[in-house]
Amino acid sequence: MVGTWINKFPGLSRLPDDVRSELEAGSQIVSVPAATQVFAPGQSADNLLLLLDGTVRVQQKSETGREVFLYRVHAGESCVLTTACMLAFEDYSADGVAETDVTAVAIPRTTFDNLVAKSPVFREFVFTAYSRRIRDLFTLVDDIVFQRMDVRLASRLLELADESGVVHATHAVLAKELGTAREVISRTLAEFHRRGWVAQSRGEVHLIGRAGLDRLVRSAGAQA
Amino acid sequence: MVGTWINKFPGLSRLPDDVRSELEAGSQIVSVPAATQVFAPGQSADNLLLLLDGTVRVQQKSETGREVFLYRVHAGESCVLTTACMLAFEDYSADGVAETDVTAVAIPRTTFDNLVAKSPVFREFVFTAYSRRIRDLFTLVDDIVFQRMDVRLASRLLELADESGVVHATHAVLAKELGTAREVISRTLAEFHRRGWVAQSRGEVHLIGRAGLDRLVRSAGAQA
DNA sequence: CGGACTTTGGTGACCAAGTCACCAAGGCCT
DNA sequence: AGGCCTTGGTGACTTGGTCACCAAAGTCCG
Protein backbone atom coordinates (compact mmCIF):
# COMPACT_ATOMS: atom_id res chain seq x y z
CA MET A 1 0.00 0.00 0.00
CA VAL A 2 1.48 3.32 -1.02
CA GLY A 3 2.48 5.66 1.76
CA THR A 4 2.21 3.36 4.72
CA TRP A 5 5.88 4.14 5.29
CA ILE A 6 4.83 7.40 6.88
CA ASN A 7 3.56 5.47 9.84
CA LYS A 8 7.06 4.29 10.58
CA PHE A 9 7.87 7.85 11.63
CA PRO A 10 5.87 8.93 14.65
CA GLY A 11 6.87 12.54 14.11
CA LEU A 12 5.09 12.49 10.78
CA SER A 13 1.85 10.90 11.87
CA ARG A 14 0.29 14.25 12.63
CA LEU A 15 0.81 15.53 9.11
CA PRO A 16 -2.41 16.83 7.56
CA ASP A 17 -3.66 14.81 4.61
CA ASP A 18 -2.68 17.21 1.87
CA VAL A 19 0.92 17.37 3.11
CA ARG A 20 0.98 13.59 3.41
CA SER A 21 0.02 13.14 -0.17
CA GLU A 22 2.51 15.72 -1.29
CA LEU A 23 5.23 13.93 0.65
CA GLU A 24 4.26 10.58 -0.79
CA ALA A 25 4.02 11.87 -4.29
CA GLY A 26 7.23 13.88 -4.11
CA SER A 27 9.47 11.15 -2.79
CA GLN A 28 10.40 7.65 -3.71
CA ILE A 29 11.43 4.45 -2.10
CA VAL A 30 14.92 3.28 -2.92
CA SER A 31 16.95 0.21 -2.09
CA VAL A 32 20.69 0.03 -1.98
CA PRO A 33 22.84 -3.02 -1.31
CA ALA A 34 25.20 -3.25 1.64
CA ALA A 35 28.51 -1.40 1.38
CA THR A 36 27.14 1.22 -1.00
CA GLN A 37 28.37 4.74 -0.48
CA VAL A 38 25.14 6.61 0.20
CA PHE A 39 26.72 10.04 0.20
CA ALA A 40 30.26 11.27 0.10
CA PRO A 41 32.19 14.47 0.56
CA GLY A 42 32.60 16.46 -2.58
CA GLN A 43 29.37 15.13 -3.91
CA SER A 44 26.45 17.31 -2.97
CA ALA A 45 23.64 15.38 -1.38
CA ASP A 46 20.32 16.00 -3.00
CA ASN A 47 18.02 13.72 -1.13
CA LEU A 48 17.01 13.45 2.47
CA LEU A 49 16.98 9.77 3.35
CA LEU A 50 14.51 8.33 5.82
CA LEU A 51 15.63 4.82 6.64
CA LEU A 52 12.99 2.12 6.50
CA ASP A 53 15.35 -0.78 6.90
CA GLY A 54 19.02 -1.33 7.55
CA THR A 55 21.67 0.95 8.95
CA VAL A 56 23.98 3.59 7.58
CA ARG A 57 27.32 4.42 9.13
CA VAL A 58 28.37 8.06 8.94
CA GLN A 59 32.05 8.81 9.26
CA GLN A 60 34.46 11.60 8.69
CA LYS A 61 37.46 11.06 6.45
CA SER A 62 40.08 13.18 8.11
CA GLU A 63 42.76 15.24 6.44
CA THR A 64 45.20 12.76 7.85
CA GLY A 65 43.64 9.99 5.80
CA ARG A 66 42.12 8.18 8.73
CA GLU A 67 38.44 7.80 9.48
CA VAL A 68 36.40 8.63 12.53
CA PHE A 69 33.06 7.01 13.09
CA LEU A 70 30.52 9.74 13.85
CA TYR A 71 27.17 8.07 14.23
CA ARG A 72 24.92 5.37 12.91
CA VAL A 73 21.51 5.93 11.37
CA HIS A 74 18.97 3.22 12.15
CA ALA A 75 15.63 2.31 10.61
CA GLY A 76 13.11 4.93 11.58
CA GLU A 77 15.70 7.70 11.60
CA SER A 78 16.89 10.14 8.99
CA CYS A 79 20.22 11.32 7.64
CA VAL A 80 19.05 14.76 8.52
CA LEU A 81 22.39 16.50 8.93
CA THR A 82 22.95 16.16 5.22
CA THR A 83 19.95 18.37 4.66
CA ALA A 84 21.80 21.33 6.12
CA CYS A 85 24.37 21.01 3.39
CA MET A 86 21.66 20.22 0.90
CA LEU A 87 19.74 23.41 1.58
CA ALA A 88 22.92 25.41 1.96
CA PHE A 89 24.10 24.08 -1.38
CA GLU A 90 27.32 22.94 0.21
CA ASP A 91 29.07 19.63 0.05
CA TYR A 92 28.80 17.33 2.97
CA SER A 93 32.10 16.76 4.69
CA ALA A 94 31.37 13.28 5.98
CA ASP A 95 30.50 10.14 4.11
CA GLY A 96 27.77 7.59 4.62
CA VAL A 97 28.01 3.91 3.90
CA ALA A 98 25.21 1.36 3.97
CA GLU A 99 26.24 -1.27 6.49
CA THR A 100 23.48 -3.62 5.48
CA ASP A 101 21.07 -3.73 2.58
CA VAL A 102 19.06 -0.60 3.03
CA THR A 103 15.64 0.58 1.96
CA ALA A 104 14.88 4.20 2.42
CA VAL A 105 12.59 6.98 1.35
CA ALA A 106 14.43 9.56 -0.70
CA ILE A 107 13.02 13.04 -0.46
CA PRO A 108 14.53 15.32 -3.07
CA ARG A 109 15.63 18.82 -2.25
CA THR A 110 12.66 20.57 -3.83
CA THR A 111 10.08 18.47 -2.02
CA PHE A 112 11.97 18.85 1.22
CA ASP A 113 12.29 22.60 0.90
CA ASN A 114 8.65 22.81 0.01
CA LEU A 115 7.49 20.84 3.00
CA VAL A 116 9.70 22.77 5.38
CA ALA A 117 8.11 25.94 4.10
CA LYS A 118 4.59 24.64 4.19
CA SER A 119 4.19 22.38 7.18
CA PRO A 120 4.87 23.20 10.81
CA VAL A 121 4.62 19.52 11.67
CA PHE A 122 7.25 18.63 9.10
CA ARG A 123 9.49 21.40 10.42
CA GLU A 124 9.17 20.06 13.89
CA PHE A 125 9.99 16.58 12.63
CA VAL A 126 13.11 17.84 10.91
CA PHE A 127 14.30 19.96 13.78
CA THR A 128 13.68 17.24 16.30
CA ALA A 129 15.84 14.95 14.24
CA TYR A 130 18.51 17.63 14.14
CA SER A 131 18.34 18.12 17.82
CA ARG A 132 18.86 14.41 18.46
CA ARG A 133 21.82 14.17 16.16
CA ILE A 134 23.49 17.25 17.51
CA ARG A 135 23.04 15.96 21.00
CA ASP A 136 24.61 12.68 19.91
CA LEU A 137 27.57 14.54 18.51
CA PHE A 138 28.01 16.45 21.75
CA THR A 139 27.85 13.21 23.68
CA LEU A 140 30.36 11.68 21.33
CA VAL A 141 32.83 14.48 21.96
CA ASP A 142 32.27 14.12 25.65
CA ASP A 143 32.84 10.37 25.52
CA ILE A 144 35.99 10.63 23.49
CA VAL A 145 37.47 13.20 25.79
CA PHE A 146 36.53 11.77 29.15
CA GLN A 147 35.54 8.15 28.93
CA ARG A 148 37.99 5.30 29.33
CA MET A 149 38.37 2.97 26.38
CA ASP A 150 37.33 -0.14 28.27
CA VAL A 151 34.03 1.50 29.17
CA ARG A 152 33.45 2.71 25.66
CA LEU A 153 34.24 -0.70 24.23
CA ALA A 154 31.99 -2.50 26.69
CA SER A 155 29.14 -0.19 25.90
CA ARG A 156 29.63 -0.55 22.18
CA LEU A 157 29.74 -4.33 22.42
CA LEU A 158 26.41 -4.33 24.24
CA GLU A 159 24.94 -2.14 21.52
CA LEU A 160 26.24 -4.20 18.65
CA ALA A 161 25.40 -7.65 19.98
CA ASP A 162 22.71 -9.60 18.18
CA GLU A 163 19.93 -11.53 19.94
CA SER A 164 22.22 -14.36 20.86
CA GLY A 165 24.85 -12.07 22.32
CA VAL A 166 27.33 -12.23 19.47
CA VAL A 167 29.05 -9.24 17.95
CA HIS A 168 30.09 -9.84 14.36
CA ALA A 169 33.06 -7.58 13.92
CA THR A 170 36.79 -7.89 13.71
CA HIS A 171 39.04 -6.08 16.14
CA ALA A 172 39.96 -3.69 13.35
CA VAL A 173 36.30 -2.78 12.78
CA LEU A 174 35.72 -2.18 16.46
CA ALA A 175 38.79 0.01 16.54
CA LYS A 176 37.42 2.17 13.74
CA GLU A 177 34.07 2.42 15.52
CA LEU A 178 35.73 3.87 18.55
CA GLY A 179 38.43 5.83 16.78
CA THR A 180 41.22 3.90 18.43
CA ALA A 181 43.89 1.39 17.41
CA ARG A 182 43.33 -2.29 16.82
CA GLU A 183 45.97 -3.19 19.40
CA VAL A 184 44.01 -1.38 22.07
CA ILE A 185 40.90 -3.36 21.22
CA SER A 186 42.82 -6.63 21.25
CA ARG A 187 44.28 -5.86 24.66
CA THR A 188 41.02 -4.69 26.13
CA LEU A 189 39.16 -7.71 24.81
CA ALA A 190 41.89 -9.93 26.22
CA GLU A 191 41.26 -8.31 29.58
CA PHE A 192 37.49 -8.81 29.22
CA HIS A 193 38.18 -12.43 28.36
CA ARG A 194 40.38 -12.81 31.42
CA ARG A 195 37.46 -11.58 33.49
CA GLY A 196 35.12 -14.09 31.88
CA TRP A 197 32.94 -11.51 30.18
CA VAL A 198 33.56 -12.48 26.56
CA ALA A 199 34.73 -15.35 24.42
CA GLN A 200 36.34 -14.76 21.08
CA SER A 201 36.51 -16.45 17.76
CA ARG A 202 37.71 -15.14 14.45
CA GLY A 203 35.61 -12.15 13.47
CA GLU A 204 33.25 -12.38 16.40
CA VAL A 205 32.99 -11.63 20.08
CA HIS A 206 30.60 -13.63 22.25
CA LEU A 207 29.22 -11.86 25.26
CA ILE A 208 29.05 -14.51 27.93
CA GLY A 209 28.95 -12.24 30.95
CA ARG A 210 26.85 -9.25 30.09
CA ALA A 211 26.41 -8.48 33.74
CA GLY A 212 30.08 -7.64 34.07
CA LEU A 213 30.08 -5.40 31.03
CA ASP A 214 26.92 -3.73 32.23
CA ARG A 215 28.42 -3.07 35.60
CA LEU A 216 31.52 -1.54 34.06
CA VAL A 217 29.45 0.77 31.89
CA ARG A 218 27.13 1.82 34.67
CA SER A 219 29.86 2.38 37.20
CA ALA A 220 31.52 4.82 34.82
CA GLY A 221 28.31 6.55 33.82
CA ALA A 222 27.38 7.08 37.42
CA GLN A 223 30.44 9.14 38.31
CA ALA A 224 28.11 12.03 37.53
CA MET B 1 19.28 53.70 11.91
CA VAL B 2 16.99 50.79 12.63
CA GLY B 3 17.81 47.54 10.91
CA THR B 4 21.26 48.26 9.63
CA TRP B 5 22.36 45.21 11.57
CA ILE B 6 21.06 43.06 8.76
CA ASN B 7 23.96 44.22 6.65
CA LYS B 8 26.36 42.56 9.02
CA PHE B 9 25.10 39.23 7.76
CA PRO B 10 25.88 38.71 4.08
CA GLY B 11 23.50 35.76 3.92
CA LEU B 12 20.63 38.06 4.76
CA SER B 13 21.39 40.85 2.33
CA ARG B 14 19.28 39.27 -0.36
CA LEU B 15 16.16 39.25 1.77
CA PRO B 16 13.22 40.91 0.06
CA ASP B 17 12.04 44.13 1.71
CA ASP B 18 8.89 42.76 3.30
CA VAL B 19 10.81 39.96 4.99
CA ARG B 20 13.46 42.41 6.14
CA SER B 21 10.93 44.57 7.87
CA GLU B 22 9.28 41.58 9.46
CA LEU B 23 12.65 40.43 10.74
CA GLU B 24 13.49 43.86 12.10
CA ALA B 25 10.11 44.31 13.69
CA GLY B 26 9.99 40.81 15.16
CA SER B 27 13.40 40.83 16.81
CA GLN B 28 15.26 43.00 19.22
CA ILE B 29 18.79 43.99 20.01
CA VAL B 30 20.08 42.87 23.37
CA SER B 31 23.27 43.43 25.32
CA VAL B 32 24.66 41.14 27.93
CA PRO B 33 27.76 41.64 30.06
CA ALA B 34 30.74 39.31 29.93
CA ALA B 35 30.42 36.01 31.81
CA THR B 36 26.64 35.86 31.45
CA GLN B 37 25.13 32.48 30.81
CA VAL B 38 23.40 33.01 27.46
CA PHE B 39 21.71 29.63 27.41
CA ALA B 40 21.97 26.57 29.54
CA PRO B 41 20.89 22.96 29.55
CA GLY B 42 17.55 22.41 31.13
CA GLN B 43 16.41 25.85 30.15
CA SER B 44 14.77 25.84 26.77
CA ALA B 45 16.23 28.43 24.46
CA ASP B 46 13.62 30.66 22.96
CA ASN B 47 15.66 33.06 20.91
CA LEU B 48 18.02 32.66 18.04
CA LEU B 49 20.98 34.93 18.71
CA LEU B 50 22.85 36.64 15.91
CA LEU B 51 26.03 38.10 17.36
CA LEU B 52 26.80 41.69 16.49
CA ASP B 53 29.70 42.07 18.87
CA GLY B 54 31.67 39.89 21.23
CA THR B 55 32.04 36.14 21.45
CA VAL B 56 30.13 33.31 23.05
CA ARG B 57 31.75 30.07 24.15
CA VAL B 58 29.62 26.96 23.79
CA GLN B 59 30.53 24.00 25.92
CA GLN B 60 29.10 20.72 27.02
CA LYS B 61 28.79 19.95 30.71
CA SER B 62 29.42 16.27 30.78
CA GLU B 63 27.76 13.71 32.98
CA THR B 64 31.10 13.37 34.69
CA GLY B 65 30.95 16.98 35.79
CA ARG B 66 33.69 18.20 33.53
CA GLU B 67 33.33 20.55 30.60
CA VAL B 68 34.30 20.24 26.99
CA PHE B 69 34.70 23.28 24.85
CA LEU B 70 32.68 22.75 21.67
CA TYR B 71 32.95 25.91 19.62
CA ARG B 72 33.04 29.67 19.79
CA VAL B 73 30.49 31.96 18.17
CA HIS B 74 31.98 35.18 16.80
CA ALA B 75 30.42 38.47 15.73
CA GLY B 76 28.60 37.94 12.45
CA GLU B 77 27.69 34.37 13.34
CA SER B 78 24.67 32.81 14.98
CA CYS B 79 24.04 30.33 17.77
CA VAL B 80 22.10 28.38 15.24
CA LEU B 81 22.33 24.93 16.75
CA THR B 82 20.13 26.06 19.58
CA THR B 83 17.35 26.61 17.08
CA ALA B 84 17.09 22.91 16.46
CA CYS B 85 16.19 22.43 20.07
CA MET B 86 14.07 25.52 19.98
CA LEU B 87 11.91 24.30 17.15
CA ALA B 88 11.91 20.77 18.45
CA PHE B 89 10.79 22.06 21.84
CA GLU B 90 13.67 20.27 23.48
CA ASP B 91 16.22 21.53 25.91
CA TYR B 92 19.65 22.29 24.69
CA SER B 93 22.26 20.01 26.14
CA ALA B 94 25.16 22.47 25.99
CA ASP B 95 25.59 25.82 27.60
CA GLY B 96 26.71 29.14 26.21
CA VAL B 97 28.62 31.78 28.09
CA ALA B 98 29.42 35.30 26.93
CA GLU B 99 33.18 35.61 26.94
CA THR B 100 33.09 39.34 26.44
CA ASP B 101 30.36 41.93 26.62
CA VAL B 102 28.03 40.89 23.85
CA THR B 103 25.45 42.62 21.73
CA ALA B 104 23.21 40.42 19.67
CA VAL B 105 19.95 40.33 17.82
CA ALA B 106 17.45 38.07 19.51
CA ILE B 107 14.94 36.47 17.21
CA PRO B 108 12.13 34.83 19.14
CA ARG B 109 10.83 31.43 18.22
CA THR B 110 7.67 32.63 16.53
CA THR B 111 9.46 35.11 14.30
CA PHE B 112 12.07 32.54 13.46
CA ASP B 113 9.56 29.87 12.62
CA ASN B 114 7.64 32.33 10.56
CA LEU B 115 10.61 33.41 8.53
CA VAL B 116 11.75 29.86 7.95
CA ALA B 117 8.32 29.12 6.56
CA LYS B 118 8.10 32.21 4.46
CA SER B 119 11.51 33.01 3.08
CA PRO B 120 13.76 30.77 1.00
CA VAL B 121 16.64 33.19 1.51
CA PHE B 122 16.23 33.02 5.27
CA ARG B 123 16.09 29.24 5.08
CA GLU B 124 19.32 29.18 3.13
CA PHE B 125 20.90 31.50 5.69
CA VAL B 126 19.88 29.23 8.53
CA PHE B 127 20.92 26.03 6.88
CA THR B 128 24.23 27.45 5.77
CA ALA B 129 24.94 28.39 9.36
CA TYR B 130 24.01 24.85 10.38
CA SER B 131 26.22 23.37 7.80
CA ARG B 132 29.23 25.39 9.01
CA ARG B 133 28.69 24.46 12.62
CA ILE B 134 28.20 20.81 11.89
CA ARG B 135 31.34 20.80 9.84
CA ASP B 136 33.17 22.43 12.72
CA LEU B 137 31.94 19.73 15.04
CA PHE B 138 33.12 17.02 12.67
CA THR B 139 36.51 18.70 12.46
CA LEU B 140 36.61 18.96 16.22
CA VAL B 141 36.06 15.23 16.60
CA ASP B 142 38.71 14.57 14.04
CA ASP B 143 41.20 16.83 15.80
CA ILE B 144 40.58 15.36 19.19
CA VAL B 145 41.01 11.84 17.92
CA PHE B 146 43.99 12.26 15.64
CA GLN B 147 45.86 15.45 16.31
CA ARG B 148 48.72 15.73 18.74
CA MET B 149 48.28 18.11 21.65
CA ASP B 150 51.27 20.27 20.79
CA VAL B 151 49.84 20.91 17.34
CA ARG B 152 46.41 21.66 18.73
CA LEU B 153 47.83 24.01 21.33
CA ALA B 154 50.02 25.82 18.81
CA SER B 155 47.10 26.30 16.50
CA ARG B 156 44.86 27.55 19.29
CA LEU B 157 47.50 30.00 20.49
CA LEU B 158 47.75 31.47 17.00
CA GLU B 159 43.97 31.82 16.92
CA LEU B 160 43.68 33.44 20.32
CA ALA B 161 46.57 35.88 20.06
CA ASP B 162 45.71 39.56 19.93
CA GLU B 163 47.32 42.02 17.51
CA SER B 164 50.51 42.21 19.50
CA GLY B 165 50.88 38.45 19.69
CA VAL B 166 49.75 37.99 23.27
CA VAL B 167 47.29 35.34 24.42
CA HIS B 168 45.48 36.35 27.59
CA ALA B 169 44.63 33.06 29.20
CA THR B 170 45.84 30.98 32.07
CA HIS B 171 47.10 27.47 31.54
CA ALA B 172 43.89 26.21 33.12
CA VAL B 173 41.77 28.10 30.59
CA LEU B 174 43.80 26.79 27.68
CA ALA B 175 43.40 23.30 29.08
CA LYS B 176 39.61 23.65 29.11
CA GLU B 177 39.66 24.99 25.56
CA LEU B 178 41.40 21.88 24.36
CA GLY B 179 39.73 19.41 26.70
CA THR B 180 42.98 18.40 28.32
CA ALA B 181 44.68 18.83 31.68
CA ARG B 182 46.47 21.92 32.90
CA GLU B 183 49.68 19.97 33.47
CA VAL B 184 49.78 19.02 29.81
CA ILE B 185 49.49 22.67 28.80
CA SER B 186 52.22 23.65 31.24
CA ARG B 187 54.56 21.01 29.89
CA THR B 188 53.83 21.79 26.28
CA LEU B 189 54.27 25.51 26.81
CA ALA B 190 57.53 24.81 28.61
CA GLU B 191 58.66 22.93 25.53
CA PHE B 192 57.55 25.79 23.25
CA HIS B 193 59.49 28.14 25.49
CA ARG B 194 62.57 25.96 25.27
CA ARG B 195 62.34 26.24 21.50
CA GLY B 196 62.09 30.00 21.72
CA TRP B 197 58.54 30.19 20.35
CA VAL B 198 56.81 31.71 23.36
CA ALA B 199 57.54 33.71 26.47
CA GLN B 200 55.30 33.46 29.50
CA SER B 201 54.11 35.66 32.25
CA ARG B 202 51.31 35.16 34.71
CA GLY B 203 48.05 34.78 32.81
CA GLU B 204 49.53 35.42 29.39
CA VAL B 205 51.56 33.77 26.69
CA HIS B 206 53.61 35.92 24.33
CA LEU B 207 54.17 34.50 20.89
CA ILE B 208 57.69 35.51 20.00
CA GLY B 209 58.34 32.97 17.30
CA ARG B 210 55.15 32.54 15.34
CA ALA B 211 57.11 31.01 12.49
CA GLY B 212 57.93 27.98 14.60
CA LEU B 213 54.35 27.50 15.73
CA ASP B 214 53.15 27.95 12.18
CA ARG B 215 55.56 25.37 10.92
CA LEU B 216 54.44 22.89 13.56
CA VAL B 217 50.79 23.36 12.67
CA ARG B 218 51.36 23.14 8.96
CA SER B 219 53.62 20.15 9.13
CA ALA B 220 50.89 18.25 10.95
CA GLY B 221 48.07 19.45 8.73
CA ALA B 222 49.98 18.40 5.66
CA GLN B 223 50.27 14.73 6.58
CA ALA B 224 47.13 14.46 4.44
C1' DC C 1 53.02 46.82 56.60
C1' DG C 2 52.39 41.81 57.46
C1' DG C 3 50.12 37.66 57.37
C1' DA C 4 46.42 34.59 55.43
C1' DC C 5 44.26 33.06 51.51
C1' DT C 6 43.68 32.30 46.54
C1' DT C 7 45.26 31.77 41.93
C1' DT C 8 48.56 30.29 38.93
C1' DG C 9 52.14 27.47 37.40
C1' DG C 10 55.79 23.67 38.04
C1' DT C 11 57.22 18.77 39.02
C1' DG C 12 57.76 13.77 39.60
C1' DA C 13 55.57 9.40 39.68
C1' DC C 14 52.41 6.67 37.69
C1' DC C 15 48.79 4.84 34.51
C1' DA C 16 46.15 4.65 30.16
C1' DA C 17 46.29 4.73 25.44
C1' DG C 18 48.35 5.20 20.79
C1' DT C 19 52.32 3.78 17.75
C1' DC C 20 55.65 0.80 15.68
C1' DA C 21 57.47 -3.29 14.29
C1' DC C 22 56.97 -7.60 14.29
C1' DC C 23 55.04 -12.51 14.20
C1' DA C 24 51.72 -16.44 14.04
C1' DA C 25 47.54 -18.60 13.08
C1' DG C 26 43.49 -19.19 10.17
C1' DG C 27 41.15 -19.05 5.86
C1' DC C 28 41.12 -18.82 0.87
C1' DC C 29 42.60 -19.67 -3.80
C1' DT C 30 44.58 -22.24 -7.41
C1' DA D 1 50.63 -28.12 -1.04
C1' DG D 2 52.20 -23.47 -1.43
C1' DG D 3 51.31 -18.66 -1.46
C1' DC D 4 48.68 -14.90 0.00
C1' DC D 5 45.72 -12.11 2.70
C1' DT D 6 43.16 -11.26 6.92
C1' DT D 7 42.98 -11.42 11.62
C1' DG D 8 44.79 -11.28 16.07
C1' DG D 9 48.77 -11.14 19.60
C1' DT D 10 52.92 -9.00 21.71
C1' DG D 11 56.75 -6.08 23.51
C1' DA D 12 58.97 -1.65 23.57
C1' DC D 13 58.33 2.95 23.41
C1' DT D 14 55.96 7.65 23.31
C1' DT D 15 52.29 10.66 24.34
C1' DG D 16 48.89 12.23 27.18
C1' DG D 17 46.02 12.26 31.51
C1' DT D 18 45.94 11.82 36.71
C1' DC D 19 47.46 12.50 41.34
C1' DA D 20 49.70 14.62 44.89
C1' DC D 21 52.30 17.84 45.94
C1' DC D 22 54.82 22.57 46.31
C1' DA D 23 56.24 27.43 45.31
C1' DA D 24 55.67 31.88 43.61
C1' DA D 25 52.72 35.76 42.72
C1' DG D 26 48.71 38.35 43.58
C1' DT D 27 44.77 39.89 46.78
C1' DC D 28 42.50 41.04 50.79
C1' DC D 29 42.24 42.91 55.14
C1' DG D 30 43.45 43.86 59.76
Side-chain angles (χ1 to χ4, degrees), chain B residues 196-219:
Chain B
W197 296 348
V198 304
Q200 299 190 62
S201 57
R202 208 182 168 80
E204 42 191 43
V205 181
H206 298 254
L207 311 190
I208 55 180
R210 277 172 191 252
L213 295 170
D214 259 330
R215 229 177 307 119
L216 176 62
V217 172
R218 269 178 295 113
S219 74

Side-chain angles (χ1 to χ4, degrees), chain A residues 83-90 109, chain B residues 123-124 127-129 131:
Chain A
T83 60
C85 307
M86 195 166 114
L87 291 201
F89 297 92
E90 295 192 17
R109 171 186 292 159
Chain B
R123 271 201 296 282
E124 192 177 327
F127 282 104
T128 303
S131 163

Side-chain angles (χ1 to χ4, degrees), chain B residues 59-191:
Chain B
Q59 63 203 2
Q60 160 96 327
K61 266 218 180 60
S62 85
E63 298 137 19
T64 64
R66 286 176 292 189
E67 286 169 6
V68 208
F69 169 89
L70 293 170
Y71 54 87
R72 173 169 284 121
V73 184
H74 300 270
E77 300 176 343
S78 58
C79 299
V80 79
L81 294 192
T82 52
T83 59
C85 307
M86 197 166 111
L87 292 200
F89 296 91
E90 295 193 15
D91 290 342
Y92 202 54
S93 66
D95 57 351
V97 180
E99 290 189 301
T100 61
D101 290 347
V102 162
T103 56
V105 182
I107 306 180
R109 170 186 291 158
T110 49
T111 306
F112 179 81
D113 192 46
N114 226 328
L115 291 173
V116 167
K118 187 183 284 184
S119 165
V121 173
F122 191 76
R123 271 201 296 282
E124 192 177 327
F125 171 75
V126 169
F127 282 104
T128 303
Y130 264 104
S131 163
R132 299 265 158 77
R133 268 309 157 230
I134 291 167
R135 227 183 256 253
D136 284 356
L137 280 178
F138 288 176
T139 308
L140 174 66
V141 171
D142 201 279
D143 263 27
I144 293 176
V145 174
F146 295 123
Q147 203 66 274
R148 291 172 47 95
M149 270 305 316
D150 53 357
V151 175
R152 295 182 59 213
L153 177 57
S155 136
R156 195 56 65 102
L157 287 174
L158 291 168
E159 262 175 59
L160 293 178
D162 63 15
E163 324 74 46
S164 45
V166 180
V167 178
H168 298 272
T170 64
H171 293 190
V173 167
L174 291 170
K176 289 230 156 180
E177 284 266 326
L178 297 172
T180 181
R182 184 188 53 79
E183 295 92 317
V184 176
I185 300 290
S186 294
R187 275 178 276 209
T188 311
L189 282 178
E191 174 63 18

